[in-house]
Amino acid sequence: MRANEDYSYLHKQIPVMMVLSLFSGLAYIALGWINDIYIAALFWYFAVVLISTRGYLLYKSFDIKNMSEASLKGWYDKTRILFYFFFLAWLVIFLIYAPESDSGMHYIAIFTEIGASTVASALLFPDKKLYKPILLFLITPLAIYFFMVGTWYGYVLTFFAVTFGWVLLYAANGSNALFSKTIFQATHDFLTGLYSRQYFVEYLQKKMNNLKQSGEFSYILLIDLDYFKTVNDSLGHDIGDRLLQEVVKRIQNNLPENAMLARLGGDEFIITGSDFNNKKECKKNALQFSEELLGILKATYTINQHHLYISASIGVSLISSNGTSAVDFIKEADIAMYEVKDKGRDGVFFYDKEISARVEYNLRLEQLLHLAIEKNELYLAYQPQLNEKQKVMGVEVLARWKSKELGEVSPVEFISIAEKTGLIVEIGQHILESAFITLKEWGEKGIDIKHMSINISVRQFMHHNIIKDVTALCNKYYAAGMKSKLIFEITESIVAEGDNIVETINEIKKLGIRFSIDDFGTGYSSLSYIRKLPVDEIKIDRHFINELSKYSNAEEMVDIIIHIANIFNLVVVAEGVETRAQQDFLIEHDCKVFQGGLYSQPLSKDEFEKFYLENK
Ligand code: C2E
Ligand code: CA
Ligand code: CA
């Protein structure tokens, strides 16, 4: 397939040709008339009319966005023929004028031929199929003409004509090589030699136009390697590059017929599949091919003695003729690919209505969440934490969002969106401040809880202002003694953020705030970090508690977790306690703090105050 630039370039030359034919035409018609060479005048009259109308129509009918590949090719062939015809017309003038020795017309003939070949090489250099034959059929008659003069200067001129033709050809070839190279670079990826994103978008658009005409179906696969960055970061870019090349080789060796592979950038590749008569078959084939690819890509790679393993996430979008643009189709495949990433990578997902609805819903959530603080829609719930004697010891603060448009939105949903968008920094700060205010109020009212736990998300914790912000809040709301009631709950995943987290934790601990590891046992499952993190408490994840009476190994797990906590001298909180049996097991195994439905759901502030007074 040609690049769009090839067609566009030729398209832009049509008006030039029309102008040339018009002006040279006027000259030839006048000359023909004055010198009684009516046939030339008449010929150019028709040539100009034909070239202009045909040129105009071809120029107008060119619509690269909506033309299928076949119709573009048809257009290209017709335009090429018009160009041949245009230069042939100049040859005809030469043939008519050259024998006219008396009026000096042969000078005009010779000039025409030289001018025409120069124009041909300057105008048409991007296309070898055009300038090569045209130069040949313009220069050859000229050389023959000089040769037939039969004198020594005739031979010299023959030699001159041939040399001139060669120079033009040489120049055009040079420009052509440069033009092709520029287009190649613009349409190909340097590292893998694959087509680039830009070229792929053009290609896909043409393919979609084809499918619209034929009523057939096809698909695109967007392939993103999983954790490729890790390879790059740990082994260096050279190995990363080699791995990408190997991946490309494997995909290329397994491409179905008519499929086309391009690199979108980084570790992202895209493929258009074959065409199918029916949608079901298309879908089946896309799935089959994707799964095949997943398998092929997963086999071990050996690069510079490193044995590498990499999986991929593939998003699929079926190409239909519903007027979506090529770029939108790629976006759909991208959304489907992100679904795979979300669900744990190494898999395939089709873009469908459900996904698109969810993406739209999340987008809407995100927009509304931006205004939630301003509109005062965020508020806090308080879940009591009790000791083994059922006395209220503390509380966990839980965020709530009652949106005017969407109703109650679960924190699992909106906190994760806030994390992804970075909004968590602002929301987290708002939650912190509200919680501080509550604790202060309770202190004044004599609600004397021992601790208040506040969830701090990773992104919020990693924000560079966290220490400053927390210090400012402490200064604003608390007398010294009250600060020691605060516990910040962080998750194990924070360990992945690097070494400075320990420093940050220690800085905040200087304020008197304690730390707890939330959802313990679900994250990094490495013991070394508990030793590293200067925390005071762990919360056994509620899923373990939930499984207590169901699986015997859950009991062992909980037992081990409590043991570990004891080794490191940490307080253990069990959350999600729903049954007496669970509670009894935990008490028996030396757990000291309990939270869950068995005692109380998260409560409003007033409800909590009441609950406290009844259970203090
Ligand atoms: P989490 O920190 O593990 O919070 C405990 C969750 O368990 C709460 O859900 C709570 O309502 C629920 N829960 C407590 N007892 C029981 C029980 O007996 N059974 C069951 N099934 N569930 C129980 P919630 O309020 O929906 O919060 C969900 C998650 O949202 C939290 O999990 C936390 O990760 C996040 N979250 C909530 N509030 C905040 C916040 O202010 N900041 C941040 N960063 N995250 C928050
Ligand atoms: Ca929590
Ligand atoms: Ca938890």
Side-chain angles (χ1 to χ4, degrees):
M1 193 189 91
R2 290 171 162 270
N4 277 1
E5 280 84 355
D6 288 326
Y7 296 118
S8 304
Y9 186 86
L10 199 61
H11 178 240
K12 277 189 213 126
Q13 303 315 314
I14 295 178
V16 181
M17 172 176 64
M18 285 164 65
V19 168
L20 265 175
S21 85
L22 199 71
F23 282 100
S24 55
L26 286 176
Y28 290 130
I29 291 167
L31 279 168
W33 210 260
I34 292 163
N35 295 295
D36 298 338
I37 312 175
Y38 297 114
I39 175 150
L42 217 64
F43 171 76
W44 261 102
Y45 178 74
F46 284 115
V48 167
V49 171
L50 208 105
I51 289 167
S52 306
T53 39
R54 184 78 182 145
Y56 179 75
L57 291 175
L58 282 173
Y59 187 81
K60 272 272 156 208
S61 70
F62 185 74
D63 177 9
I64 202 144
K65 284 232 161 62
N66 298 311
M67 279 162 99
S68 67
E69 222 193 309
S71 52
L72 259 176
K73 190 158 180 317
W75 178 90
Y76 170 71
D77 287 339
K78 284 181 210 150
T79 309
R80 232 173 57 196
I81 289 171
L82 182 67
F83 272 95
Y84 289 141
F85 181 81
F86 172 63
F87 285 97
L88 265 177
W90 273 354
L91 178 64
V92 170
I93 284 296
F94 171 76
L95 293 177
I96 295 173
Y97 283 180
E100 301 281 332
S101 49
D102 49 341
S103 54
M105 293 295 276
H106 53 274
Y107 291 125
I108 292 169
I110 293 165
F111 175 75
T112 300
E113 208 66 346
I114 290 176
S117 18
T118 313
V119 167
S121 74
L123 221 55
L124 304 175
F125 70 84
D127 198 328
K128 283 190 173 145
K129 275 193 192 153
L130 277 168
Y131 72 79
K132 277 190 173 169
I134 288 172
L135 277 180
L136 191 75
F137 72 60
L138 287 176
I139 293 291
T140 315
L142 188 68
I144 294 174
Y145 169 78
F146 287 140
F147 191 78
M148 278 174 30
V149 174
T151 59
W152 67 268
Y153 62 83
Y155 299 135
V156 171
L157 284 175
T158 306
F159 179 71
F160 173 76
V162 171
T163 312
F164 181 66
W166 177 80
V167 167
L168 288 183
L169 195 67
Y170 181 81
N173 278 342
S175 311
N176 180 281
L178 201 67
F179 184 80
S180 309
K181 193 174 151 196
T182 314
I183 290 188
F184 185 87
Q185 283 171 350
T187 54
H188 286 73
D189 166 57
F190 182 72
L191 178 72
T192 58
L194 294 180
Y195 288 117
S196 65
R197 180 192 194 99
Q198 181 214 339
Y199 184 82
F200 183 83
V201 172
E202 285 172 8
Y203 174 84
L204 182 59
Q205 191 63 56
K206 282 179 213 163
K207 186 173 173 96
M208 284 161 59
N209 298 338
N210 286 352
L211 294 173
K212 208 187 254 175
Q213 276 176 6
S214 68
E216 288 176 312
F217 299 88
S218 189
Y219 58 84
I220 57 176
L221 304 187
L222 199 145
I223 307 168
D224 190 290
L225 303 180
D226 300 330
Y227 303 111
F228 175 72
K229 198 176 166 301
T230 318
V231 176
N232 243 352
D233 291 348
S234 57
L235 298 175
H237 287 250
D238 283 347
I239 303 271
D241 286 355
R242 290 274 304 281
L243 179 62
L244 285 178
Q245 287 166 335
E246 284 299 314
V247 164
V248 168
K249 224 185 267 168
R250 287 191 192 178
I251 301 177
Q252 260 167 342
N253 289 339
N254 290 281
L255 279 186
E257 223 179 303
N258 299 329
M260 117 94 115
L261 169 65
R263 183 181 182 199
L264 281 190
D267 59 342
E268 268 193 359
F269 302 94
I270 194 156
I271 298 177
T272 57
S274 326
D275 303 345
F276 298 89
N277 287 325
N278 87 43
K279 198 169 175 174
K280 221 169 138 190
E281 200 190 330
C282 176
K283 199 168 170 179
K284 197 177 122 203
N285 206 279
L287 184 66
Q288 212 174 340
F289 179 41
S290 305
E291 282 172 349
E292 202 181 301
L293 276 179
L294 287 181
I296 291 162
L297 294 178
K298 240 185 282 182
T300 320
Y301 298 79
T302 311
I303 295 167
N304 287 5
Q305 281 113 38
H306 295 286
H307 295 288
L308 302 177
Y309 167 93
I310 201 153
S311 61
S313 302
I314 301 183
V316 189
S317 172
L318 295 187
I319 306 178
S320 57
S321 49
N322 61 6
T324 317
S325 74
V327 175
D328 285 339
F329 265 117
I330 298 176
K331 225 178 266 164
E332 288 182 3
D334 200 48
I335 290 170
M337 187 273 289
Y338 270 103
E339 277 297 298
V340 183
K341 297 260 180 205
D342 252 13
K343 297 267 147 42
R345 295 153 215 257
D346 188 16
V348 189
F349 248 93
F350 278 76
Y351 180 83
D352 60 14
K353 291 223 172 66
E354 204 182 302
I355 293 185
S356 102
R358 187 164 51 244
V359 169
E360 230 159 84
Y361 176 73
N362 282 349
L363 225 73
R364 189 154 158 67
L365 267 192
E366 188 187 322
Q367 285 163 352
L368 292 171
L369 190 56
H370 269 281
L371 305 170
I373 297 181
E374 226 173 273
K375 295 204 278 188
N376 217 1
E377 292 177 347
L378 293 177
Y379 63 98
L380 300 181
Y382 304 88
Q383 189 169 34
Q385 294 179 338
L386 298 88
N387 64 9
E388 70 274 23
K389 295 194 187 102
Q390 314 270 318
K391 298 275 171 263
V392 180
M393 304 299 291
V395 65
E396 177 177 4
V397 176
L398 294 160
R400 295 289 178 264
W401 177 23
K402 190 174 167 98
S403 154
K404 201 171 148 232
E405 287 82 358
L406 305 167
E408 283 284 350
V409 182
S410 151
V412 178
E413 240 173 336
F414 76 81
I415 295 284
S416 89
I417 285 180
E419 275 252 311
K420 276 181 197 151
T421 55
L423 211 57
I424 192 69
V425 176
E426 197 185 333
I427 290 180
Q429 175 72 8
H430 177 76
I431 292 170
L432 268 178
E433 179 151 17
S434 311
F436 275 47
I437 292 171
T438 301
L439 189 59
K440 185 174 181 200
E441 268 177 37
W442 282 347
E444 288 158 2
K445 277 188 184 171
I447 312 263
D448 184 29
I449 49 170
K450 298 279 172 294
H451 43 86
M452 172 184 260
S453 298
I454 305 171
N455 293 287
I456 308 285
S457 85
V458 175
R459 182 125 180 218
Q460 181 190 0
F461 191 77
M462 295 313 294
H463 192 258
H464 55 91
N465 271 348
I466 182 85
I467 298 172
K468 222 175 88 205
D469 287 347
V470 173
T471 312
L473 285 178
C474 287
N475 292 339
K476 187 165 170 193
Y477 293 104
Y478 294 137
M482 288 181 68
K483 282 183 268 185
S484 58
K485 292 191 174 179
L486 287 169
I487 299 176
F488 282 180
E489 290 188 7
I490 54 178
T491 53
E492 294 166 64
S493 58
I494 207 153
V495 180
E497 300 297 322
D499 297 334
N500 350 3
I501 52 158
V502 175
E503 274 168 48
T504 313
I505 293 177
N506 280 329
E507 257 338 281
I508 293 175
K509 285 188 83 160
K510 281 186 196 155
L511 297 167
I513 296 171
R514 280 171 290 165
F515 276 83
S516 171
I517 301 178
D518 203 355
D519 307 338
F520 187 86
T522 58
Y524 270 72
S525 331
S526 149
L527 285 181
S528 66
Y529 73 84
I530 320 190
R531 207 162 40 86
K532 269 202 321 210
L533 290 183
V535 295
D536 310 274
E537 173 188 291
I538 58 175
K539 290 184 87 171
I540 307 175
D541 188 60
R542 62 180 178 278
H543 297 99
F544 290 122
I545 308 290
N546 184 259
E547 285 171 358
L548 267 183
S549 36
K550 297 177 192 158
Y551 311 103
S552 62
N553 55 3
E555 295 186 354
E556 280 158 26
M557 278 292 284
V558 171
D559 192 30
I560 290 171
I561 291 173
I562 296 174
H563 260 96
I564 293 170
N566 287 340
I567 293 172
F568 291 99
N569 227 345
L570 306 174
V571 175
V572 185
V573 180
E575 94 183 328
V577 181
E578 288 178 335
T579 65
R580 204 148 292 278
Q582 290 165 354
Q583 175 195 271
D584 293 347
F585 176 90
L586 290 160
I587 291 178
E588 205 177 300
H589 287 79
D590 215 16
C591 177
K592 296 281 190 304
V593 188
F594 307 85
Q595 176 187 345
L598 179 61
Y599 318 100
S600 166
Q601 296 302 326
L603 305 169
S604 72
K605 190 154 62 174
D606 293 344
E607 286 169 341
F608 181 86
E609 289 170 12
K610 218 171 126 225
F611 186 88
Y612 172 82
L613 294 174
E614 286 162 6
N615 298 281
K616 67 175 182 176

Short mmCIF file of all heavy atoms in Angstrom, two decimals, residues 6-32:
data_model
loop_
_atom_site.label_atom_id
_atom_site.label_comp_id
_atom_site.label_asym_id
_atom_site.label_seq_id
_atom_site.Cartn_x
_atom_site.Cartn_y
_atom_site.Cartn_z
N ASP A 6 2.05 9.91 -0.85
CA ASP A 6 2.21 9.66 -2.29
C ASP A 6 1.02 10.19 -3.06
O ASP A 6 1.16 10.87 -4.06
CB ASP A 6 2.32 8.15 -2.55
CG ASP A 6 3.67 7.61 -2.09
OD1 ASP A 6 4.65 8.36 -2.19
OD2 ASP A 6 3.71 6.47 -1.63
N TYR A 7 -0.15 9.85 -2.57
CA TYR A 7 -1.38 10.28 -3.26
C TYR A 7 -1.53 11.79 -3.14
O TYR A 7 -1.85 12.47 -4.11
CB TYR A 7 -2.60 9.62 -2.65
CG TYR A 7 -2.62 8.12 -2.81
CD1 TYR A 7 -2.60 7.28 -1.70
CD2 TYR A 7 -2.68 7.54 -4.07
CE1 TYR A 7 -2.63 5.92 -1.83
CE2 TYR A 7 -2.71 6.16 -4.22
CZ TYR A 7 -2.68 5.35 -3.09
OH TYR A 7 -2.71 4.01 -3.23
N SER A 8 -1.33 12.29 -1.93
CA SER A 8 -1.55 13.71 -1.71
C SER A 8 -0.61 14.55 -2.58
O SER A 8 -0.99 15.60 -3.08
CB SER A 8 -1.32 14.08 -0.25
OG SER A 8 -2.14 13.30 0.55
N TYR A 9 0.60 14.05 -2.74
CA TYR A 9 1.55 14.81 -3.54
C TYR A 9 1.06 14.93 -4.98
O TYR A 9 1.04 16.01 -5.56
CB TYR A 9 2.93 14.15 -3.51
CG TYR A 9 3.97 14.98 -4.22
CD1 TYR A 9 4.63 15.98 -3.54
CD2 TYR A 9 4.22 14.80 -5.58
CE1 TYR A 9 5.54 16.79 -4.20
CE2 TYR A 9 5.13 15.60 -6.24
CZ TYR A 9 5.79 16.60 -5.54
OH TYR A 9 6.69 17.40 -6.20
N LEU A 10 0.65 13.80 -5.51
CA LEU A 10 0.17 13.80 -6.90
C LEU A 10 -1.06 14.69 -7.03
O LEU A 10 -1.21 15.43 -8.00
CB LEU A 10 -0.16 12.36 -7.32
CG LEU A 10 -0.23 12.14 -8.83
CD1 LEU A 10 1.11 12.45 -9.47
CD2 LEU A 10 -0.64 10.71 -9.15
N HIS A 11 -1.89 14.60 -6.01
CA HIS A 11 -3.11 15.41 -6.00
C HIS A 11 -2.77 16.89 -6.11
O HIS A 11 -3.39 17.63 -6.87
CB HIS A 11 -3.87 15.12 -4.71
CG HIS A 11 -5.13 15.91 -4.54
ND1 HIS A 11 -5.32 16.76 -3.49
CD2 HIS A 11 -6.24 15.99 -5.31
CE1 HIS A 11 -6.51 17.32 -3.61
NE2 HIS A 11 -7.09 16.87 -4.70
N LYS A 12 -1.74 17.29 -5.38
CA LYS A 12 -1.36 18.71 -5.38
C LYS A 12 -0.76 19.14 -6.72
O LYS A 12 -0.74 20.34 -7.02
CB LYS A 12 -0.33 18.96 -4.27
CG LYS A 12 -0.98 19.15 -2.93
CD LYS A 12 0.05 19.60 -1.91
CE LYS A 12 -0.30 19.06 -0.54
NZ LYS A 12 0.81 18.31 0.07
N GLN A 13 -0.27 18.20 -7.52
CA GLN A 13 0.33 18.57 -8.80
C GLN A 13 -0.72 18.79 -9.89
O GLN A 13 -0.42 19.36 -10.94
CB GLN A 13 1.32 17.49 -9.27
CG GLN A 13 2.43 17.19 -8.30
CD GLN A 13 3.05 18.43 -7.70
OE1 GLN A 13 3.36 19.39 -8.40
NE2 GLN A 13 3.19 18.45 -6.39
N ILE A 14 -1.94 18.35 -9.65
CA ILE A 14 -2.97 18.47 -10.70
C ILE A 14 -3.21 19.95 -11.08
O ILE A 14 -3.20 20.28 -12.27
CB ILE A 14 -4.28 17.76 -10.29
CG1 ILE A 14 -4.03 16.26 -10.18
CG2 ILE A 14 -5.37 18.03 -11.33
CD1 ILE A 14 -5.24 15.46 -9.74
N PRO A 15 -3.42 20.84 -10.10
CA PRO A 15 -3.63 22.24 -10.50
C PRO A 15 -2.43 22.82 -11.25
O PRO A 15 -2.62 23.60 -12.19
CB PRO A 15 -3.80 22.97 -9.16
CG PRO A 15 -4.12 21.94 -8.17
CD PRO A 15 -3.58 20.65 -8.65
N VAL A 16 -1.21 22.40 -10.85
CA VAL A 16 -0.02 22.90 -11.55
C VAL A 16 -0.09 22.49 -13.02
O VAL A 16 0.15 23.29 -13.93
CB VAL A 16 1.27 22.33 -10.91
CG1 VAL A 16 2.50 22.86 -11.62
CG2 VAL A 16 1.31 22.65 -9.43
N MET A 17 -0.47 21.23 -13.23
CA MET A 17 -0.58 20.73 -14.59
C MET A 17 -1.65 21.52 -15.37
O MET A 17 -1.46 21.87 -16.54
CB MET A 17 -0.94 19.25 -14.57
CG MET A 17 -1.27 18.69 -15.93
SD MET A 17 -1.59 16.91 -15.85
CE MET A 17 -3.04 16.88 -14.85
N MET A 18 -2.76 21.81 -14.69
CA MET A 18 -3.83 22.53 -15.36
C MET A 18 -3.38 23.93 -15.77
O MET A 18 -3.65 24.37 -16.89
CB MET A 18 -5.06 22.60 -14.45
CG MET A 18 -5.81 21.26 -14.37
SD MET A 18 -6.95 21.20 -12.98
CE MET A 18 -8.13 22.45 -13.45
N VAL A 19 -2.70 24.61 -14.87
CA VAL A 19 -2.22 25.96 -15.18
C VAL A 19 -1.24 25.92 -16.35
O VAL A 19 -1.33 26.70 -17.30
CB VAL A 19 -1.55 26.58 -13.93
CG1 VAL A 19 -0.80 27.85 -14.30
CG2 VAL A 19 -2.58 26.86 -12.87
N LEU A 20 -0.29 24.95 -16.28
CA LEU A 20 0.69 24.82 -17.36
C LEU A 20 0.02 24.55 -18.69
O LEU A 20 0.37 25.15 -19.72
CB LEU A 20 1.61 23.64 -17.04
CG LEU A 20 2.92 23.97 -16.35
CD1 LEU A 20 3.62 22.68 -15.99
CD2 LEU A 20 3.80 24.82 -17.25
N SER A 21 -0.95 23.65 -18.67
CA SER A 21 -1.60 23.29 -19.94
C SER A 21 -2.36 24.49 -20.48
O SER A 21 -2.40 24.74 -21.68
CB SER A 21 -2.50 22.08 -19.76
OG SER A 21 -3.77 22.47 -19.30
N LEU A 22 -2.91 25.27 -19.58
CA LEU A 22 -3.68 26.44 -20.01
C LEU A 22 -2.78 27.48 -20.66
O LEU A 22 -3.03 27.94 -21.78
CB LEU A 22 -4.40 27.04 -18.81
CG LEU A 22 -5.56 27.95 -19.16
CD1 LEU A 22 -6.73 27.14 -19.70
CD2 LEU A 22 -6.00 28.75 -17.93
N PHE A 23 -1.67 27.83 -19.97
CA PHE A 23 -0.81 28.90 -20.50
C PHE A 23 -0.03 28.45 -21.73
O PHE A 23 0.03 29.16 -22.73
CB PHE A 23 0.12 29.43 -19.41
CG PHE A 23 -0.60 30.36 -18.49
CD1 PHE A 23 -1.08 29.93 -17.25
CD2 PHE A 23 -0.88 31.67 -18.88
CE1 PHE A 23 -1.78 30.77 -16.42
CE2 PHE A 23 -1.58 32.53 -18.05
CZ PHE A 23 -2.04 32.08 -16.81
N SER A 24 0.57 27.26 -21.65
CA SER A 24 1.29 26.80 -22.83
C SER A 24 0.28 26.60 -23.96
O SER A 24 0.57 26.90 -25.12
CB SER A 24 2.05 25.51 -22.54
OG SER A 24 1.16 24.55 -22.03
N GLY A 25 -0.90 26.16 -23.61
CA GLY A 25 -1.95 25.96 -24.62
C GLY A 25 -2.26 27.25 -25.34
O GLY A 25 -2.28 27.28 -26.58
N LEU A 26 -2.45 28.33 -24.59
CA LEU A 26 -2.75 29.62 -25.22
C LEU A 26 -1.64 30.00 -26.20
O LEU A 26 -1.90 30.42 -27.32
CB LEU A 26 -2.90 30.71 -24.15
CG LEU A 26 -4.20 30.64 -23.34
CD1 LEU A 26 -4.19 31.71 -22.25
CD2 LEU A 26 -5.41 30.80 -24.25
N ALA A 27 -0.39 29.80 -25.77
CA ALA A 27 0.75 30.13 -26.63
C ALA A 27 0.73 29.30 -27.91
O ALA A 27 0.89 29.82 -29.01
CB ALA A 27 2.05 29.90 -25.86
N TYR A 28 0.51 27.99 -27.74
CA TYR A 28 0.54 27.11 -28.92
C TYR A 28 -0.61 27.40 -29.87
O TYR A 28 -0.46 27.37 -31.09
CB TYR A 28 0.48 25.64 -28.50
CG TYR A 28 1.74 25.18 -27.81
CD1 TYR A 28 1.68 24.51 -26.60
CD2 TYR A 28 3.00 25.44 -28.37
CE1 TYR A 28 2.83 24.10 -25.96
CE2 TYR A 28 4.15 25.04 -27.74
CZ TYR A 28 4.05 24.37 -26.52
OH TYR A 28 5.19 23.97 -25.89
N ILE A 29 -1.76 27.71 -29.29
CA ILE A 29 -2.91 28.01 -30.15
C ILE A 29 -2.61 29.27 -30.96
O ILE A 29 -2.78 29.31 -32.18
CB ILE A 29 -4.19 28.18 -29.30
CG1 ILE A 29 -4.59 26.82 -28.71
CG2 ILE A 29 -5.33 28.72 -30.17
CD1 ILE A 29 -5.64 26.91 -27.62
N ALA A 30 -2.08 30.29 -30.27
CA ALA A 30 -1.75 31.55 -30.97
C ALA A 30 -0.71 31.30 -32.05
O ALA A 30 -0.87 31.70 -33.21
CB ALA A 30 -1.26 32.57 -29.96
N LEU A 31 0.37 30.59 -31.68
CA LEU A 31 1.45 30.31 -32.63
C LEU A 31 0.94 29.53 -33.83
O LEU A 31 1.26 29.83 -34.98
CB LEU A 31 2.55 29.50 -31.93
CG LEU A 31 3.53 30.31 -31.08
CD1 LEU A 31 4.37 29.37 -30.23
CD2 LEU A 31 4.42 31.15 -31.97
N GLY A 32 0.15 28.53 -33.53
CA GLY A 32 -0.41 27.69 -34.60
C GLY A 32 -1.24 28.54 -35.55
O GLY A 32 -1.17 28.41 -36.78
#
